[in-house]
Amino acid sequence: MPVKLTVTGAAAVAHAMRQINPDVVAAYPITPQTPIVEYFASFVSDGIVDTVLVPVESEHSAMSALIGAAAAGARTMTATAANGLALMAEIVYIAASYRLPIVMPVANRALSGPINIHCDHSDAMLVRDSGWIQFFTENHQEAYDFTIMATKIAEKENVLLPVMVNLDGFITSHGVESFEMLDDEVVREFVGTWKPKYSLLDVEHPVTYGPLDLFDYYFEHHRQQEEAMKNAYKELPGVFEEFAKISGRKYDFLDLYKTEDAEHIMIVLNSTASTAKYVVDELREEGKKVGLVKPQVFTPFPKKEIQQVLNGRKSVVVLDRAMSFGKEAPLYSLIKSSLYEIASKPSLGSYIYGLGGRDVTPEMLRQAFEDALKGNLIADEQRYLGLRE
Amino acid sequence: MNNGWKDIPIGGVIDKPATARRYKTGEWRIQRPVIDREKCTNCMQCWLYCPDMAISGSLDGKRMKLGEFNMDYCKGCGVCAAVCPVSAIEMKPESEFI
Ligand code: SF4
Ligand code: SF4
C-alpha cells in the first residue's frame, strides 16, 4: 500500500533514489541540494540500499565518477544545483554524448554572481543544450514521481540519455509537504534491472569509451543524440501510461489547469505553478477565462502539444525564472518559436520573475494576467514581476 | 570507414577490438616516401622509426628485409626519410601521384 509521508522534497527525492537502489551514487554537497545526498548517504550507511556511495571532492568529479561507473555498466545517480552544475557542465555534456543514462535531480538555484543560493532556473538553463532530458516538477509528489520515471526513460534502449529532474531549491527541496510514496517492490518492478548496452566490465565484448571523434564522426554522433531525443519524445507517453498504472497519477508533457475554455493562458515552470493555479482560481471566480500550462517535460520540448493547446487563444504570458541576456528569455523564446507555425496566433508577453529567490506573490502573477486581459501585451518587450524600479 | 549516422555505434563507443586498422590515416598525407631500392641496405631504421607502422619488413633467413610502404597508413611525416642513413627515401609531394 502506498504511504503518505510528510517530509522535505529532498527526502522525497532521496526515497525515490532508495527505491531505485542505484549501483553507484557520487555525492558532493551543494546548497540547496545537499539534503538529497545526505538522506541517501544515511540509507547507504544503514545498509538499506546496496549502493556504492562515492564521496568526491567536486561536482566535476561527481559526474566524472558516474561516467566511469555508468560506462562499466552500473545504474548511476547524483544530485546537484547551481554552481555545482556549472562546475560539472563539461562532464554533463560528455555524459549525454556517451549516451549514459545517469539520473540527476537538480535543486534549482541561481547561478552566481553576485552570490546567491536561492531558487531560480538559471542553472537548468545553463545546460539546456547539453543533450540531457529535462523534467520540471512542481512539488514533492512530482519530484518523487519524475525521479522514478527518469530512470525508466533514460534506460530505454532507443533513448539512452541522461535525465535531470528539476525541483525548486528551498521551495521544494526544503519545504515540508505530504506526498504519496509507492511500495518499494512496486518501484523496483517498475524500474526493473538495468542491462547496459555496452559495459567495460563485459570482457567477452570489449569496448572502448571516449575515443577521439574529431571531424570524422562527431557530427554523426550528435545527429544520433537528436534521434535519441526524438525517441524519448515518442517513448514518454508509454512511460507516463505505465506509471499511471502503478500510481494512479497520469502525467503528460504539459500539465493543463483550467485551459479548456481559457482565452488567456499563463505558462510557468515548477513550483510557481501552484501560486499561478491559485491566481487562476481567483480570476475564474471573477468570471475571467484564464488557465495555466505547466511544461513538465522541457527537453525534448513538447512543441506539438504547445501548439495544440495555444492555437486560437487570445493571449499567452510566459514566465521565466532565468534570463538570457541580450536575447529573449529561454522558455519564452521556445514558446514564441512554437507559435510561428500555428493558424491562429495569440498575442504574447514575456515576464521575468523570481530571480535569486525573489518571492513570487499572487499579486505579481495577477499583474501578468491583467496585462493579458487588457490586451496590453507586446511580444518584443521583456517585463519584470517584482523588480524594484 | 565511411558509415552514416545510422550505422555507427552510439556514444562514440568502439564496440570491436582492432578497429584502428580500418582507420586510414593515410588520407591526411600531403607527401609520400619514395624508396630507391638500389640504395637501400635493409638496415631497417625506417621500419623501426615509422610512427604509424606503415612500413613492413620480413625475415630473409636471419636478416630482416625491407617490405612495402603501406599508403593506407603512411601519413607522410617524413621520419623514415630523415632517419635513413643512406638517403634512400625521398619525400615527394602527393600532387605528383594524382
Ligand atoms: S613518411 Fe612517416 S608514416 Fe610514412 S612511412 Fe615514412 S615514417 Fe612512416
Ligand atoms: S632506413 Fe633507408 S636503408 Fe634502412 S631500410 Fe629504410 S630505406 Fe633502407
Side-chain angles (χ1 to χ4, degrees):
Chain A
M1 277 290 288
V3 291
K4 279 256 180 206
L5 281 190
T6 306
V7 291
T8 62
V13 168
H15 274 295
M17 293 170 69
R18 172 182 65 74
Q19 295 178 315
I20 293 163
N21 192 10
D23 301 309
V24 179
V25 165
Y28 192 79
I30 183 163
T31 302
Q33 172 282 123
T34 309
I36 299 177
V37 291
E38 274 179 351
Y39 283 119
F40 191 76
S42 71
F43 295 140
V44 175
S45 64
D46 292 346
I48 294 169
V49 288
D50 37 39
T51 306
V52 175
L53 186 80
V54 190
V56 284
E57 47 51 78
S58 77
E59 287 82 356
H60 191 276
S61 302
M63 192 46 64
S64 302
L66 292 190
I67 285 185
R75 178 179 270 167
T76 57
M77 296 180 84
T78 185
T80 194
N83 294 44
L85 182 55
L87 181 55
M88 202 185 255
E90 178 191 13
I91 317 298
V92 160
Y93 271 74
I94 292 170
S97 57
Y98 286 6
R99 307 296 296 279
L100 301 172
I102 298 163
V103 172
M104 177 163 72
V106 177
N108 298 124
R109 165 189 144 183
L111 279 174
S112 301
I115 298 172
N116 186 305
I117 57 163
H118 290 284
C119 175
D120 78 25
H121 299 155
S122 46
D123 54 359
M125 295 306 158
L126 169 79
V127 290
R128 63 170 213 165
D129 297 330
S130 60
W132 284 55
I133 291 171
Q134 281 186 309
F135 295 138
F136 277 81
T137 62
E138 182 176 336
N139 49 33
H140 295 36
Q141 189 69 63
E142 290 188 8
Y144 168 84
D145 290 348
F146 273 94
T147 301
I148 294 166
M149 287 187 280
T151 304
K152 190 87 173 174
I153 188 71
E155 294 174 359
K156 291 261 173 205
E157 165 114 39
N158 58 348
V159 177
L160 295 177
L161 289 175
V163 185
M164 268 173 229
V165 181
N166 292 289
L167 55 138
D168 279 348
F170 291 113
I171 302 163
T172 308
S173 66
H174 286 60
V176 173
E177 186 176 82
S178 294
F179 83 104
E180 192 182 280
M181 185 168 72
L182 299 167
D183 286 343
D184 293 0
E185 300 75 53
V186 170
V187 176
R188 203 170 303 149
E189 206 180 306
F190 177 78
V191 296
T193 45
W194 163 228
K195 286 184 212 74
K197 188 174 169 75
Y198 302 111
S199 163
L200 288 173
L201 298 181
D202 179 0
V203 289
E204 300 295 318
H205 305 96
V207 292
T208 301
Y209 267 90
L212 210 59
D213 216 16
L214 302 187
F215 38 74
D216 298 291
Y217 284 109
Y218 180 88
F219 200 170
E220 280 72 22
H221 284 126
H222 277 227
R223 178 65 185 84
Q224 290 179 334
Q225 282 175 254
E226 182 60 24
E227 197 65 11
M229 273 296 174
K230 285 189 181 153
N231 292 342
Y233 174 78
K234 281 186 219 137
E235 295 283 350
L236 274 167
V239 172
F240 294 143
E241 198 70 48
E242 267 185 78
F243 190 76
K245 280 196 197 119
I246 62 162
S247 68
R249 290 182 289 278
K250 178 73 169 74
Y251 290 101
D252 210 331
F253 291 98
L254 305 175
D255 176 26
L256 305 178
Y257 187 72
K258 302 196 175 173
T259 54
E260 228 154 76
D261 62 337
E263 292 171 351
H264 310 279
I265 286 185
M266 175 173 281
I267 305 185
V268 69
L269 297 167
N270 273 11
S271 66
T272 308
S274 295
T275 318
K277 285 171 184 172
Y278 173 81
V279 176
V280 165
D281 289 346
E282 274 188 344
L283 290 167
R284 281 273 170 185
E285 271 170 35
E286 296 165 23
K288 314 273 169 43
K289 288 191 169 173
V290 294
L292 178 85
V293 172
K294 180 190 61 171
Q296 291 177 301
V297 181
F298 180 73
T299 317
F301 191 69
K303 187 173 164 183
K304 194 176 74 153
E305 287 73 10
I306 291 278
Q307 289 172 335
Q308 275 164 1
V309 69
L310 298 187
N311 192 19
R313 311 287 177 167
K314 276 199 183 136
S315 63
V316 174
V317 288
V318 186
L319 273 60
D320 273 273
R321 203 166 191 162
M323 282 167 81
S324 186
F325 303 108
K327 303 185 288 301
E328 287 173 344
L331 181 59
Y332 180 69
S333 69
L334 284 166
I335 301 287
K336 193 175 172 189
S337 84
S338 302
L339 300 192
Y340 182 75
E341 296 154 319
I342 69 174
S344 164
K345 294 184 186 56
S347 59
L348 277 170
S350 173
Y351 291 82
I352 304 290
Y353 76 99
L355 296 194
R358 174 66 49 87
D359 205 10
V360 192
T361 64
E363 290 69 41
M364 290 174 195
L365 304 186
R366 215 186 152 93
Q367 189 189 322
F369 266 131
E370 269 162 16
D371 284 352
L373 287 158
K374 277 188 235 139
N376 170 27
L377 295 178
I378 301 169
D380 280 336
E381 186 178 297
Q382 183 163 288
R383 294 176 183 166
Y384 305 89
L385 300 172
L387 173 80
R388 290 189 303 277
E389 292 297 340
Chain B
M1 273 224 283
N2 245 324
N3 299 329
W5 68 270
K6 290 178 190 146
D7 308 315
I8 55 174
I10 62 165
V13 164
I14 295 172
D15 61 352
K16 282 182 241 15
T19 50
R21 280 181 205 284
R22 290 159 60 192
Y23 192 45
K24 307 266 162 63
T25 47
E27 286 172 8
W28 306 351
R29 194 178 54 242
I30 58 162
Q31 54 175 3
R32 70 166 67 178
V34 175
I35 180 165
D36 182 347
R37 298 271 173 187
E38 300 280 298
K39 285 193 193 162
C40 173
T41 62
N42 292 301
C43 73
M44 305 308 282
Q45 289 294 307
C46 56
W47 170 82
L48 187 64
Y49 279 98
C50 172
D52 269 315
M53 296 198 290
I55 305 172
S56 63
S58 55
L59 266 181
D60 180 20
K62 282 198 170 165
R63 282 201 69 199
M64 282 290 279
K65 191 168 169 255
L66 188 67
E68 296 303 318
F69 285 59
N70 187 334
M71 290 301 118
D72 279 346
Y73 303 106
C74 165
K75 68 163 96 72
C77 67
V79 167
C80 53
V83 298
C84 176
V86 295
S87 302
I89 301 173
E90 192 188 341
M91 298 305 294
K92 294 204 167 168
E94 269 305 307
S95 54
E96 287 184 21
F97 301 90
I98 296 169

